[in-house]
Amino acid sequence: MKPTKLKEFKFSGKRDITSRRPLIIEDKLIILFNYNVDGFPHNEVICLNVHNFSILWKYENSFVGNNILKTPTNNILICYMNGRLIEIDLKTGSPVEKFDLAMKRNGQTSNLYKNKIIISGIQGTEEVICFDFNQRQVLWRVYNQGHSYIPFIYEDKVYQCAEDKIVCLDLNSGSTIWKSSKKANYNFNPNNFQSNIVVGGHGIINFYNSINGKLLLQINTGIEETIYMIISDENAIYFGDTSGIFYAYEITETKNFIGTKTLTAKLKWKFNSKGAIQSIPEFLGGKIIFINDDKKLICLDKKHGDLNWQININGEAGISGPVIFENTIITSVSKGHVSKITESTN
């Protein structure tokens, strides 16, 4: 198999263009671009027809856009770094409603769960909030322990990392269920592995009991590089680091006669991509794909870590990432390059 570019789009005429992970709703491809105008941040969200990449609408704003996500009403929510949320009509690109979160600086939203999202403060804004789409307002607001990363909602609980801390909050009230910290060991973006919480740091992967916060397992890769995003299947985790190495670890869970859980890890394989990896990977059948900052989309065999193929996508990934649409791969990267890629046998 080899990769073939089916379509390309170029967002041009701006300086210092970066992108975020695209979003696909129905037949629409929504892409967020950030850029500079005379030293000030600006943002443009563009909606393309996902089949032919024709432009359907554009929406501009004069601040940094963190991320986009699908709302419960099938519209688009844009999260801005200055504490603003704007809901955009999917069909027309017109604003439906604007929300002021009363946060000076904030990061990306969490995943959407039961019509709620979590947003945490960054750069001196030390609070975390829950926004409820049903009530169209902030449900609760609590202290967030410091500069935060992307929160994660799992089974009615919020997992949020700030500096060397991880905190578990009740989704409906914001009350603290448990918290854990270890000096000089930063925690970044949490996710779940089976019923556990897994989070990366500087060359470290920590596994926590999601109920009580007990540290179940720590993996040390031996390289003190940042691990931002982790994904998993039923028995392994997969992640890259800022040195450009991509890893797969097999995780085994056992319980003793009183039900105490123990996790063990074994390195399955690792692959040197030769470019920093910050973005979230994706599964594609028995393969795993990711983008690095060497301007490459890379496809590996999930079982053995062998290189299936790689292709130049003309820009660095940063914190963008690939999305899958009808067995094709769509990427949006720095310098405004958008690509639609398929695998072929020719």
Side-chain angles (χ1 to χ4, degrees):
M1 301 290 284
K2 70 175 186 178
T4 302
K5 288 184 181 179
L6 298 176
K7 293 287 180 183
E8 292 184 87
F9 173 85
K10 179 73 162 61
F11 176 69
S12 58
K14 311 293 183 183
R15 298 183 60 186
D16 304 323
I17 299 171
T18 61
S19 186
R20 298 294 190 260
R21 192 181 187 203
L23 175 67
I24 298 174
I25 306 176
E26 299 173 356
D27 62 347
K28 296 173 177 61
L29 170 63
I30 302 99
I31 306 164
L32 185 157
F33 293 106
N34 290 308
Y35 54 92
N36 286 326
V37 176
D38 298 326
F40 293 94
H42 281 67
N43 166 272
E44 190 164 324
V45 174
I46 298 179
C47 179
L48 306 178
N49 180 294
V50 72
H51 301 288
N52 59 25
F53 278 17
S54 60
I55 297 175
L56 302 177
W57 53 258
K58 299 179 181 181
Y59 182 82
E60 297 183 40
N61 195 289
S62 57
F63 211 78
V64 176
N66 286 328
N67 67 299
I68 48 178
L69 73 158
K70 179 181 173 182
T71 71
T73 54
N74 220 36
N75 283 326
I76 301 151
L77 188 77
I78 310 172
C79 173
Y80 292 95
M81 194 183 286
N82 60 350
R84 304 294 195 275
L85 301 176
I86 300 181
E87 183 178 0
I88 302 294
D89 185 274
L90 174 65
K91 295 180 180 180
T92 66
S94 301
V96 175
E97 194 166 357
K98 299 181 181 181
F99 307 96
D100 186 345
L101 304 177
M103 301 176 79
K104 185 175 180 181
R105 291 291 182 268
N106 59 277
Q108 294 188 43
T109 69
S110 70
N111 52 312
L112 176 68
Y113 179 89
K114 294 186 177 179
N115 292 349
K116 297 179 179 69
I117 56 173
I118 304 298
I119 303 161
S120 290
I122 62 172
Q123 299 175 5
T125 300
E126 296 185 338
E127 59 184 356
V128 57
I129 70 164
C130 175
F131 184 84
D132 189 323
F133 279 97
N134 293 334
Q135 300 182 34
R136 314 291 284 182
Q137 65 181 13
V138 173
L139 183 63
W140 49 258
R141 183 186 304 265
V142 298
Y143 174 64
N144 77 345
Q145 314 291 319
H147 182 96
S148 297
Y149 297 92
I150 305 173
F152 177 61
I153 308 175
Y154 177 67
E155 293 187 346
D156 294 298
K157 297 181 182 67
V158 176
Y159 300 91
Q160 179 245 327
C161 296
E163 299 175 357
D164 60 356
K165 308 170 192 70
I166 179 169
V167 180
C168 175
L169 307 172
D170 179 82
L171 175 62
N172 294 310
S173 68
S175 59
T176 300
I177 298 172
W178 57 260
K179 58 183 175 181
S180 177
S181 67
K182 187 174 182 181
K183 296 298 182 185
N185 181 20
Y186 266 55
N187 288 310
F188 295 106
N189 303 310
N191 206 336
N192 71 295
F193 171 73
Q194 298 177 1
S195 62
N196 311 296
I197 297 301
V198 59
V199 59
H202 294 302
I204 298 291
I205 300 286
N206 286 332
F207 291 77
Y208 296 92
N209 183 304
S210 62
I211 304 300
N212 58 27
K214 180 183 177 181
L215 181 63
L216 300 172
L217 172 67
Q218 184 176 87
I219 298 172
N220 191 327
T221 66
I223 304 175
E224 290 190 15
E225 293 284 345
T226 304
I227 300 164
Y228 283 114
M229 297 293 189
I230 304 166
I231 61 172
S232 65
D233 57 19
E234 57 277 359
N235 57 14
I237 62 169
Y238 306 84
F239 59 91
D241 67 19
T242 49
S243 76
I245 299 177
F246 198 90
Y247 300 84
Y249 278 85
E250 183 177 3
I251 310 298
T252 302
E253 178 180 311
T254 57
K255 292 183 179 179
N256 64 15
F257 68 97
I258 60 171
T260 302
K261 183 189 301 184
T262 302
L263 297 182
T264 56
K266 179 183 178 181
L267 178 66
K268 292 178 64 177
W269 51 261
K270 61 182 179 179
F271 176 86
N272 190 348
S273 77
K274 301 179 181 179
I277 305 165
Q278 302 179 64
S279 63
I280 190 166
E282 280 283 347
F283 294 123
L284 183 63
K287 295 159 284 194
I288 192 162
I289 59 171
F290 62 93
I291 315 172
N292 69 5
D293 285 349
D294 190 38
K295 305 178 182 179
K296 300 292 193 306
L297 171 67
I298 295 172
C299 176
L300 303 178
D301 176 80
K302 190 174 75 166
K303 186 175 182 179
H304 301 291
D306 298 327
L307 177 66
N308 287 330
W309 51 260
Q310 63 182 12
I311 188 171
N312 191 312
I313 52 173
N314 304 314
E316 297 178 355
I319 58 173
S320 182
V323 293
I324 309 299
F325 176 75
E326 295 181 351
N327 294 319
T328 63
I329 306 160
I330 295 176
T331 62
S332 180
V333 292
S334 68
K335 300 183 180 179
H337 290 280
V338 181
S339 301
K340 185 178 184 181
I341 297 161
T342 189
E343 294 180 305
S344 64
T345 55
N346 297 328

